[in-house]
Amino acid sequence: SVYTASTTAPVNIATLKYWGKRDKSLNLPTNSSISVTLSQDDLRTLTSVATSSSFTEDQLWLNGTPESLTSERTVACLKDLRALRTAVEARDTSLPKFSEWKLHIVSENNFPTAAGLASSAAGFSALVKAIAKLYELPESMSEISKIARKGSGSACRSLFGGYVAWEMGSEVDGSDSKAVEVAPLEHWPSMKAAILVVSADKKDTPSTSGMQTTVATSDLFQHRIKNVVPTRFIEMKETILNKDFAKFAELTMKDSNSFHAVCLDSYPPIKYLNDTSMKVIKLIHTLNAAAGETIAAYTFDAGPNAVIYYLEENEAVVLGLLHELFGGVAGWEKVDKEQLTLLKA
Ligand code: DP6
């Protein structure tokens, strides 16, 4: 017989960025990070797994295309999951020996590749979660997040919805580098996000190699991880728990700027933002100044696309202005309409 399980994992967007590794093969970070996931369904990976004693090899289909399962990162995840299943089977010898059987994995994203969103976080998270479910592992989501982390650092944060912290930990084996929930989605239901797709092109510097360059060459990065992020990590958790949007927004924008500054301080420099990104940044600051309070925040990952956070009550004004930006309005700089599409998350 064939045994199956399915699950989904959401895309997560960091408001306090992970950038830098202290251990490359275990994906152990040089700082703790925080992400916000506003929907479990709008942007997610759906993964189904099957196992049977009759399967002859591990196989993976990604969005309908067969893919290799031999990458070091995937192999590390499968190895850890099989080891945990072996422990389950040792405790109850009547269980089928899934740990020895091959896996067939089918994974689909519900967002277009053209959305220009990194999918590795949702992808690795869904993969690990689906197999953990199939194997009926008793471990908590935080425990399971350590396995997803080995697939892609940011994937550990996609094991939870809502507001999530990835605690960097200090152990060399990574046993305390895991994701924990800060607050569930329902804690702050008026929080909204919009994604401005500035470009769907593949990013020029992949995050893994970009981080290595930054760690090895940037002096500003040393300042960021020692003097900036530790306090910001505590403060951002507080602003989330207190639902203090203005402070949350300020910390989010400052951290995005800090991350892109250490990228530029790398040698050779790494540049992810383009002119359109800079116009979006300017627009949000102008908007906040005009409103007399901070009602919107931007954040950018390793590419030019913006994620804008705002509260539901300000949706009309924030999205209205972003729409006006499409056509170019007196007072705002013109942005090529074709370059910019708006996806709501
Ligand atoms: C800028 O998690 O993609 O999005 O661990 O090498 O797979 P690897 O890197 P990855 O890096 C994400 C970097 C970021 C910030 C963040 O998500 O925290």
Side-chain angles (χ1 to χ4, degrees), residues 108-304:
E108 313 262 348
N109 296 328
N110 72 341
F111 48 92
T113 314
L117 290 161
S119 57
S120 70
F124 273 109
S125 177
L127 174 87
V128 169
K129 212 171 140 188
I131 298 172
K133 193 172 167 189
L134 175 72
Y135 287 178
E136 297 184 321
L137 300 181
E139 278 75 12
S140 67
M141 279 301 164
S142 280
E143 273 310 300
I144 298 295
S145 80
K146 294 191 238 167
I147 302 177
R149 189 202 72 223
K150 294 185 188 176
S152 179
S154 57
C156 73
R157 297 187 310 241
S158 280
L159 266 305
F160 297 92
Y163 304 83
V164 184
W166 172 10
E167 297 173 344
M168 64 178 288
S170 55
E171 301 294 336
V172 284
D173 64 357
S175 54
D176 57 352
S177 186
K178 60 180 192 295
V180 297
E181 185 184 77
V182 175
L185 189 58
E186 307 80 61
H187 165 72
W188 202 354
S190 53
M191 179 74 84
K192 299 280 161 207
I195 301 170
L196 280 162
V197 182
V198 171
S199 165
D201 293 350
K202 259 206 156 2
K203 54 194 173 194
D204 46 359
T205 309
S207 32
T208 309
S209 61
M211 286 184 204
Q212 295 305 106
T213 305
T214 303
V215 173
T217 63
S218 169
D219 308 315
L220 186 59
F221 169 76
Q222 294 302 326
H223 171 65
R224 169 174 163 77
I225 62 169
K226 288 190 193 108
N227 308 325
V228 179
V229 177
T231 315
R232 191 168 282 164
F233 182 66
I234 295 165
E235 287 180 348
M236 194 176 282
K237 283 194 286 188
E238 278 170 9
T239 65
I240 291 167
L241 293 173
N242 298 334
K243 293 183 259 189
D244 179 349
F245 185 82
K247 188 79 190 150
F248 167 80
E250 182 189 330
L251 294 172
T252 296
M253 292 185 278
K254 283 186 168 174
D255 200 69
S256 176
N257 296 340
S258 162
F259 154 53
H260 291 283
V262 300
C263 286
L264 276 182
D265 188 52
S266 305
Y267 191 78
I270 302 161
K271 183 175 175 289
Y272 290 122
L273 305 181
N274 65 17
D275 290 352
T276 307
S277 316
M278 295 310 293
K279 284 174 188 167
V280 172
I281 289 174
K282 196 173 168 193
L283 176 86
I284 297 296
H285 283 289
T286 309
L287 166 66
N288 288 335
E293 58 178 321
T294 307
I295 61 169
Y298 54 78
T299 187
F300 298 81
D301 280 342

Side-chain angles (χ1 to χ4, degrees), residues 90-110:
R91 286 193 290 271
D92 182 349
T93 50
S94 69
L95 292 173
K97 297 279 178 282
F98 289 174
S99 62
E100 294 164 14
W101 300 354
K102 300 299 179 189
L103 288 160
H104 287 182
I105 305 161
V106 176
S107 197
E108 313 262 348
N109 296 328
N110 72 341

